[in-house]
């Protein structure tokens, strides 16, 4: 339980730091930091029960992108201002680091495993973001037509 709390706190501060680094202003900083912590916590809970990293990254990316789109509408700002810092805890840096380390040591089996893992996680993350982003237009159209009918 303690490790879970540390991981969630680290994701909060990681998202907060990148929000500041990306020159985010006002409420968006806290919204990004809280989003990073919440969605990393949800990912950890999901992994505890399902034990599939790739599916966890994919579903988390979908939820994070929806979160960013909703806050973008509320704050009247581009979704990327919330999305980018919020998604930072999910960047597969550890797997990439270990892949490069194995490559430098000429340990090809470990390199192949870690590189495959890093690439798979990155693809799952990108696919989740793309699913929501590509469905935004049709959902907007449906909502506009529904409002006009009411």
């Amino acid at each position: 339980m303690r490790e879970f709390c540390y991981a969630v706190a680290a994701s909060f501060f990681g998202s907060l730091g990148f929000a500041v680094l990306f020159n985010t202003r006002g409420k968006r900083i806290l919204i990004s930091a809280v989003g990073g912590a919440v969605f990393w916590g949800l990912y950890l809970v999901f992994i505890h029960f399902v034990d599939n990293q790739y599916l966890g990254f994919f579903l988390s990316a979908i939820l994070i992108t929806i979160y960013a789109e909703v806050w973008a509408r509320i704050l009247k700002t581009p979704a990327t201002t919330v999305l980018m810092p919020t998604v930072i805890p999910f960047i597969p840096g550890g797997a990439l680091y270990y892949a490069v380390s194995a490559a430098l040591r000429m340990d090809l089996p470990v390199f192949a495993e870690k590189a495959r893992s890093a690439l798979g996680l990155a693809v799952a993350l990108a696919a989740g973001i793309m699913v929501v982003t590509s469905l935004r237009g049709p959902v907007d159209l449906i909502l506009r037509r529904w409002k006009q009918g009411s």
Side-chain angles (χ1 to χ4, degrees):
M1 182 64 171
R2 181 174 279 165
E3 291 84 15
F4 176 84
C5 292
Y6 288 152
V8 170
S11 65
F12 175 86
F13 288 110
S15 292
L16 179 74
F18 272 90
V20 171
L21 184 69
F22 292 151
N23 205 19
T24 305
R25 304 254 188 239
K27 294 180 214 174
R28 292 174 203 86
I29 293 174
L30 188 59
I31 289 167
S32 298
V34 168
V38 167
F39 291 110
W40 187 253
L42 287 174
Y43 166 75
L44 292 176
V45 169
F46 180 83
I47 289 301
H48 179 73
F49 290 109
V50 177
D51 196 31
N52 186 337
Q53 276 186 287
Y54 305 106
L55 183 60
F57 264 53
F58 179 72
L59 294 176
S60 296
I62 288 173
L63 293 174
I64 288 170
T65 309
I66 292 170
Y67 176 80
E69 291 288 345
V70 168
W71 276 109
R73 298 274 172 105
I74 293 169
L75 299 172
K76 296 180 182 8
T77 186
T80 53
T81 59
V82 176
L83 178 66
M84 295 313 297
T86 304
V87 82
I88 285 297
F90 290 89
I91 304 301
L96 189 58
Y97 169 81
Y98 290 118
V100 171
S101 175
L104 292 174
R105 289 190 324 264
M106 300 295 184
D107 188 356
L108 293 182
V110 172
F111 166 73
E113 175 192 342
K114 297 297 181 182
R116 181 194 54 80
S117 175
L119 186 61
L121 293 173
V123 167
L125 194 61
I129 292 170
M130 287 188 326
V131 164
V132 175
T133 304
S134 64
L135 291 177
R136 182 175 171 237
V139 168
D140 282 347
L141 182 64
I142 291 169
L143 290 175
R144 252 187 270 125
R145 288 192 180 169
W146 182 66
K147 281 184 179 180
Q148 289 173 354
S150 302

